[in-house]
């Protein structure tokens, strides 16, 4: 049947109207247009005032959009381990919402201890979904600064002492966060390796150490992970604050690495309009009116990139070229996230997120010692267990600075152990009193931790109760209070605080079946190690702490975590403290801190100086055992553009399924510059059933052999002899093969 003439006319009219409507849709709103075209179009419609308004905060965690054009605000949230509670517009104090509780994921040290990029991807996916549900544009994390000194109060927020390990984990984390349409903001760029004097310390470091140790994870996050945002750090480098640092931001990040995202200042990290304009800062947050960080309320119009910038443009002091570049970056961020047009909604506090938190924690807990195979504890035998220690009951998701969270739930180690071993079989003694503070910026845990008994009374009680049990599980370590694992402060020493060493020693006199569970984000010393049969490094693991610890202690999970940093036997065994500088006196004036240990950070220092650590980088036990075959190599000569493949057989020689982390280190046997004894260049976590053997393969190219040549200013692999070293840790070497680079 032929269409009626009227139908044809009506259809034609409607098609014309649709086309006209389409023509009228501004390009920047058309999600089918390429992002760069949308950015150009939006920019062309904006006034100078509107552009400037994009570049600085309007509240503690948000910056303005363009209301007139329907371009939304940018909302940031801490942090790398959970989505922070909403705070008041202009206060750090929580806003008091009832819908902003989150799941706390394990600290990034724990993630690093999984040595498993799949866990980093799961982490990024899960936290990204929480961020999206909470309508965040930018997740302020992950933190990838190198653990240079174990005293750094923020060690728990970072990953490891090794740039290769950090790089391999940050990439999947960033990608999976961003698949949610939420930007990851990798922090803190760069050289933010201690907290004391964090805003006044000028780091002096060689180009080589900068490139080989401190930048690789950022480089990977940008060039492989495609990070949409980077946060500048508080400290200075080349006497310029890192939030507006020409070398770091203009030359390296945006120049060499071609970063097209947004550089966000750390909160209060911006100190100068001139430098911010010219040296690469795009979005300013947290500045106090006076340009310092410690005011409780801000005056946003007076930000360095607010009125002073606008006035500078109007008076001709600044051109609009920098302004357009900065505004362009912020618009690009918005079109990549909130205005991407891909409708996703995320999820908050889902069963999947709790499961992810528990799985990551289970893979990250490190078994440091297990004499007499005292672990796992067989729950079916209904053993009597005494749990000792404040950390068995204290909520650890509160405190620590910007990572403090308001969680929907947090299961304590004590409750996790009671659930698993039966409440009737588990008793508790406090043992020591640490810090009884149970609130942070208005969030109350509701716990009552005050206990006014003397140290002697607390010890006596624990000793008395320890006499009549099969096992004592001492849950100690540190906490998130100032001077421990806490932003803004550093630790004073490596020692465990609060009389714990003494309590452990006293308990050992009456019961030697003591298992020490160390809840801490950084290394501690263990003077009683010789007498304690089992030690578990359990980090800060968030909402599922109790379950994850019980999973490992009961053997439901076979531990497969490996240390992401060396545990030194003493502070002087750390390069940064032996020869490097570490200034522990507060200073408001700029104070130089020279990284004299240069590239010898962590195991690189210990190897070179032949110092035995308490526990080595990459170390961790399992409830099963593994044996290694002899490593082989496919060819003994590698060309500059070629590669070699190293293979090694690994067998599970025990009775339980378990995972081994096979590590590949490379040694340059002869080089024109001093090099570390060996460097991590590959790792694989392999799951093996009892009796099973798998062949683990590593293919490396010349980038794994390269060092940064300061003089030539480039990466270089020198021809000559190399060794591929297979290890179960930095000190447990299983085999070596030589090869030559031609
Ligand atoms: C921290 C950042 C954090 C920001 C916002 C700063 O003090 O250094 O890591 O993202 O506060 O809370």
């Amino acid at each position: 049947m032929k269409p009626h003439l009227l139908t044809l006319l009506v259809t034609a009219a409607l098609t014309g109207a649709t086309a006209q409507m389409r023509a009228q849709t501004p390009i920047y709103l058309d999600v089918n247009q390429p992002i760069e075209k949308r950015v150009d179009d939006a920019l062309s419609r904006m006034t100078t005032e509107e552009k400037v308004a994009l570049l600085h905060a309007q509240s503690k965690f948000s910056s303005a959009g363009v209301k007139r054009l329907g371009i939304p605000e940018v909302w940031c949230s801490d942090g790398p381990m959970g989505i922070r509670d909403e705070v008041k517009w202009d206060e750090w104090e929580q806003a008091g919402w009832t819908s902003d509780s989150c799941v706390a994921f394990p600290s990034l040290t724990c993630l690093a201890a999984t040595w498993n990029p799949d866990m980093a991807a799961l982490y990024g996916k899960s936290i990204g979904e929480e961020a999206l549900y909470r309508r965040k544009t930018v997740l302020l994390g992950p933190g990838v600064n190198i653990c240079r000194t174990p005293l750094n109060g923020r060690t728990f927020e970072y990953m490891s002492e090794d740039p290769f390990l950090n790089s391999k984990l940050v990439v999947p984390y960033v990608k999976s966060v961003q698949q949610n349409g939420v930007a990851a903001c990798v922090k803190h760029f760069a050289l933010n390796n201690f907290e004391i004097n964090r805003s006044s310390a000028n780091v002096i470091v060689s180009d080589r150490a900068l490139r080989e140790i401190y930048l690789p994870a950022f480089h990977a996050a940008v060039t492989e992970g495609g990070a949409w945002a980077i946060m500048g750090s508080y400290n200075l480098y080349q006497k310029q604050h890192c939030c507006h640092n020409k070398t770091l931001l203009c030359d390296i990040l945006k120049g060499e690495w071609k970063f097209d995202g947004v550089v966000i200042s750390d909160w209060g990290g911006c100190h100068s309009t001139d430098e911010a304009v010219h040296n690469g800062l795009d979005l300013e947050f947290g500045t106090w009116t006076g340009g310092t960080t410690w005011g409780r309320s801000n005056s946003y119009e007076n930000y360095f990139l607010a009125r002073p910038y606008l006035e500078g443009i109007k008076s001709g002091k600044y051109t609009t070229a920098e302004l357009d570049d900065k505004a362009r970056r912020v618009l690009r961020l918005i079109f990549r996230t909130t205005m991407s047009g891909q409708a996703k909604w995320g999820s908050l506090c889902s069963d999947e997120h709790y499961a992810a938190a528990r799985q990551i924690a289970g893979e990250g807990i490190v078994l440091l010692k297990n004499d007499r195979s005292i672990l796992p504890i067989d729950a079916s035998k209904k053993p009597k267990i005494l749990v000792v220690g404040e950390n068995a009951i204290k909520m650890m998701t509160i405190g620590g600075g910007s990572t403090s969270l308001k969680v929907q739930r947090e299961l304590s180690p004590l409750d996790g152990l009671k659930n698993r071993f039966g409440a009737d079989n588990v008793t508790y003694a406090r043992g020591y009193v640490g810090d009884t503070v149970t609130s942070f910026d208005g969030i109350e845990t509701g716990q009552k931790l005050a206990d006014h008994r003397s140290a002697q009374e607390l010890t006596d009680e624990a000793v008395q109760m320890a006499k009549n049990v099969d096992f004592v599980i001492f849950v100690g370590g540190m906490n998130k209070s100032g001077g421990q694992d806490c932003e803004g402060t550093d630790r004073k020493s490596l020692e465990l605080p609060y009389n714990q060493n003494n309590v452990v020693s006293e308990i050992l006199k009456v019961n030697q079946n003591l298992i020490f569970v160390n809840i801490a984000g950084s290394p501690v010393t263990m003077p009683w190690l010789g007498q304690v049969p089992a030690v578990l490094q359990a980090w800060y693991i968030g909402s599922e702490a109790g379950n994850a610890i019980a999973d490992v202690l009961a053997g439901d999970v076979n531990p497969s975590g490996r240390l992401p940093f060396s545990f030194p036997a003493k502070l002087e065994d750390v390069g940064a403290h032996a020869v490097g500088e570490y200034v522990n006196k507060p200073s408001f004036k700029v104070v130089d801190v020279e990284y004299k240990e240069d590239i010898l950070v962590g195991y690189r220092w210990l190897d070179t100086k032949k110092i035995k650590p308490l526990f080595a980088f990459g170390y961790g036990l399992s409830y099963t055992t593994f044996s290694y075959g002899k490593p082989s190599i496919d060819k003994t000569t590698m060309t500059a553009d070629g590669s070699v493949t190293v293979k090694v057989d690994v067998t599970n020689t025990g009775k339980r399924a378990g995972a081994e982390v096979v590590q590949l280190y490379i040694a340059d046997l002869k080089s024109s510059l001093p090099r570390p004894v060996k460097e991590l260049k590959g790792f694989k976590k392999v799951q093996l059933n009892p009796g099973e053997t798998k062949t683990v393969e590593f293919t490396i190219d010349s980038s794994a052999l390269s060092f940064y040549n300061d003089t030539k200013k480039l990466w270089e692999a020198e021809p000559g002899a190399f060794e591929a070293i297979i290890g179960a840790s930095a000190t447990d070497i299983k085999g070596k093969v030589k090869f030559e680079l031609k």
Side-chain angles (χ1 to χ4, degrees):
M1 197 173 70
K2 283 187 182 166
H4 193 274
L5 181 62
L6 188 62
T7 317
L8 282 178
L9 285 175
V10 169
T11 313
L14 282 177
T15 317
T18 318
Q20 207 180 351
M21 264 168 59
R22 210 179 282 136
Q24 280 166 358
T25 303
I27 292 172
Y28 78 96
L29 287 178
D30 184 348
V31 296
N32 298 312
Q33 294 285 344
I35 284 189
E36 293 312 307
K37 270 184 94 174
R38 297 177 67 192
V39 168
D40 283 343
D41 183 51
L43 203 65
S44 71
R45 296 165 190 268
M46 287 166 60
T47 64
T48 302
E49 283 76 4
E50 284 169 338
K51 291 178 191 173
V52 171
L54 284 184
L55 309 182
H56 58 89
Q58 58 169 4
S59 75
K60 274 277 181 274
F61 282 98
S62 73
S63 57
V66 191
K67 286 192 187 122
R68 183 177 63 84
L69 298 178
I71 295 175
E73 299 164 339
V74 169
W75 278 87
C76 303
S77 175
D78 286 305
M81 302 159 207
I83 309 306
R84 187 177 179 155
D85 49 281
E86 303 298 331
V87 300
K88 291 180 180 162
W89 189 256
D90 201 11
E91 291 289 334
W92 290 109
E93 197 73 6
Q94 69 144 339
W97 289 21
T98 51
S99 55
D100 58 349
S101 304
C102 67
V103 173
F105 296 92
S107 61
L108 294 193
T109 37
C110 178
L111 172 64
T114 68
W115 287 64
N116 188 349
D118 292 344
M119 287 301 106
L122 176 65
Y123 198 124
K125 173 183 180 289
S126 313
I127 198 169
E129 286 169 356
E130 298 241 329
L132 184 60
Y133 190 86
R134 293 267 309 276
R135 296 285 163 266
K136 301 302 174 194
T137 328
V138 180
L139 173 75
L140 301 174
V144 294
N145 293 94
I146 288 289
C147 305
R148 171 184 179 247
T149 157
L151 298 191
N152 182 8
R154 291 189 98 167
T155 301
F156 74 101
E157 286 191 54
Y158 299 142
M159 292 180 175
S160 85
E161 69 183 26
D162 186 81
F164 184 84
L165 181 56
N166 278 13
S167 303
K168 291 295 163 204
L169 297 175
V170 70
V171 171
Y173 184 118
V174 166
K175 281 187 175 166
S176 330
V177 166
Q178 294 190 165
Q179 270 164 12
N180 291 293
V182 172
C185 179
V186 187
K187 62 193 189 182
H188 305 90
F189 192 66
L191 301 163
N192 196 185
N193 310 102
F194 47 86
E195 284 298 280
I196 191 154
N197 299 319
R198 66 178 181 179
S199 297
S200 56
N202 175 53
V203 173
I204 302 175
V205 66
S206 71
D207 280 359
R208 188 166 169 213
L210 182 72
R211 299 290 184 149
E212 289 186 20
I213 305 291
Y214 296 100
L215 295 190
F218 291 103
H219 179 247
V222 169
T223 58
E224 292 172 52
W228 292 333
I230 287 270
M231 185 188 290
S233 61
Y234 282 131
N235 51 286
L236 299 91
Y237 167 64
Q238 296 178 335
K239 301 261 187 230
Q240 231 169 35
H241 277 101
C242 293
C243 288
H244 29 73
N245 187 290
K246 183 176 174 305
T247 305
L248 291 175
L249 301 178
C250 302
D251 301 346
I252 298 179
L253 180 68
K254 293 182 175 177
E256 281 176 41
W257 302 351
K258 309 207 174 338
F259 174 68
D260 66 358
V262 176
V263 174
I264 298 180
S265 74
D266 200 343
W267 269 233
C270 180
H271 303 267
S272 144
T273 301
D274 268 358
E275 288 189 6
V277 170
H278 296 299
N279 295 350
L281 180 66
D282 302 310
L283 188 45
E284 178 189 1
F285 270 96
T287 309
W288 195 40
T289 322
T292 57
T293 63
W294 17 294
R296 298 285 299 179
S297 68
N298 293 330
S299 160
Y300 302 98
E301 273 317 294
N302 292 324
Y303 271 34
F304 294 103
L305 285 184
R307 188 180 40 77
Y309 189 19
L310 188 60
E311 285 171 2
I313 293 168
K314 293 210 162 141
S315 71
K317 185 175 178 197
Y318 306 121
T319 72
T320 51
E322 299 91 1
L323 175 69
D324 282 350
D325 178 62
K326 293 176 199 297
R328 199 176 276 284
R329 287 169 183 272
V330 176
L331 289 169
R332 194 177 289 133
L333 174 81
I334 296 171
F335 293 141
R336 281 172 163 164
T337 54
T338 338
M339 288 184 86
S340 72
Q342 285 162 15
K344 288 187 183 164
W345 310 107
S347 49
L348 189 66
C349 297
S350 66
D351 291 347
E352 289 78 10
H353 293 173
Y354 283 107
R358 187 168 176 173
Q359 190 183 353
I360 296 161
E363 277 212 27
I365 291 175
V366 186
L367 180 62
L368 294 176
K369 188 172 179 189
N370 193 18
D371 280 6
R372 297 187 263 126
S373 295
I374 188 168
L375 293 177
I377 299 173
D378 186 348
S380 69
K381 292 193 175 142
K382 303 206 180 323
K384 294 277 170 235
I385 296 174
L386 170 68
V387 176
V388 181
E390 184 170 288
N391 285 357
I393 55 170
K394 186 176 167 82
M395 273 182 73
M396 287 292 182
T397 48
I398 286 274
S402 57
T403 52
S404 185
L405 296 172
K406 173 170 153 188
V407 291
Q408 188 195 44
R409 65 170 201 251
E410 176 179 348
L411 189 74
S412 72
L414 180 61
D415 287 340
L417 291 167
K418 281 186 173 169
N419 290 348
R420 186 61 183 87
F421 293 99
D424 293 346
N425 303 319
V426 178
T427 46
Y428 175 71
R430 180 70 171 265
Y432 66 91
V433 174
D435 189 340
T436 55
V437 172
T438 52
S439 64
F440 186 87
D441 279 345
I443 303 202
E444 304 275 346
T445 67
Q447 293 192 291
K448 298 213 174 358
L449 294 180
D451 189 326
H452 301 294
R453 287 176 290 171
S454 69
Q456 192 60 53
E457 285 170 310
L458 291 162
T459 312
D460 289 348
E461 181 193 59
V463 170
Q464 201 52 38
M465 291 173 76
K467 287 179 182 162
N468 306 317
V469 294
D470 300 305
F471 298 98
V472 177
I473 301 178
F474 193 112
V475 187
M478 299 202 284
N479 55 34
K480 305 276 194 71
S481 306
Q484 301 206 31
D485 287 316
C486 181
E487 180 185 344
T489 63
D490 280 350
R491 298 165 62 195
K492 296 258 180 307
S493 82
L494 284 181
E495 257 177 54
L496 281 168
Y498 313 130
N499 195 38
Q500 290 177 72
N501 288 335
N502 181 46
V503 184
V504 169
S505 302
E506 290 301 314
I507 293 174
L508 281 169
K509 290 180 186 160
V510 299
N511 193 330
Q512 283 82 50
N513 284 347
L514 192 152
I515 295 136
F516 191 89
V517 177
N518 189 36
I519 309 270
S522 42
V524 300
T525 48
M526 302 175 185
W528 31 256
L529 189 62
Q531 288 82 56
V532 167
V535 180
L536 215 62
Q537 175 60 34
W539 315 110
Y540 299 108
I541 43 182
S543 288
E544 288 286 8
N547 283 330
I549 289 171
D551 286 344
V552 171
L553 290 176
D556 305 331
V557 165
N558 188 352
S560 63
R562 301 292 182 259
L563 288 180
F565 35 70
S566 320
F567 270 44
K570 51 186 189 309
L571 199 55
E572 304 81 73
D573 292 350
V574 178
H577 295 277
V579 294
E581 280 182 347
Y582 169 78
V583 178
N584 59 8
K585 284 197 197 69
S587 163
F588 292 111
K589 291 208 196 97
V590 173
V591 48
D592 286 341
V593 179
E594 189 170 354
Y595 289 11
K596 290 185 187 157
E597 73 283 7
D598 202 49
I599 51 172
L600 299 181
V601 175
Y603 68 90
R604 288 165 168 80
W605 173 265
L606 296 166
D607 275 355
T608 308
K609 302 292 167 189
K610 298 193 172 40
I611 300 170
K612 206 170 162 292
L614 186 65
F615 296 111
F617 172 76
Y619 168 80
L621 299 172
S622 162
Y623 294 149
T624 187
T625 46
F626 302 98
S627 76
Y628 284 66
K630 215 170 145 359
S632 64
I633 194 158
D634 61 341
K635 43 188 173 309
T636 48
T637 308
M638 177 171 153
T639 52
D641 55 357
S643 62
V644 289
T645 298
V646 179
K647 287 188 190 174
V648 64
D649 283 350
V650 185
T651 306
N652 181 343
T653 48
K655 293 196 180 65
R656 282 170 181 262
E660 171 70 327
V661 178
V662 184
Q663 299 157 40
L664 170 76
Y665 297 86
I666 296 291
D668 188 348
L669 297 181
K670 198 160 164 251
S671 79
S672 56
L673 290 179
R675 298 200 66 179
V677 173
K678 62 179 188 300
E679 297 185 275
L680 183 76
K681 294 295 169 185
F683 61 89
K684 282 204 179 124
K685 195 168 204 178
V686 270
Q687 184 69 38
L688 293 163
N689 287 321
E692 191 183 6
T693 299
K694 278 186 185 158
T695 304
V696 178
E697 277 190 32
F698 299 99
T699 297
I700 49 161
D701 60 21
S702 63
S703 65
L705 317 180
S706 310
F707 59 85
Y708 188 79
N709 187 322
D710 284 67
T711 326
K712 296 189 194 158
K713 305 246 171 284
L714 47 81
W715 287 89
E716 191 172 33
E718 269 180 356
F722 289 85
E723 207 163 39
I725 302 170
I726 297 292
S729 79
T731 57
D732 185 5
I733 304 307
K734 303 293 188 185
K736 301 175 179 181
V737 276
K738 286 203 174 112
F739 64 98
E740 185 120 359
L741 176 70
K742 284 272 187 217

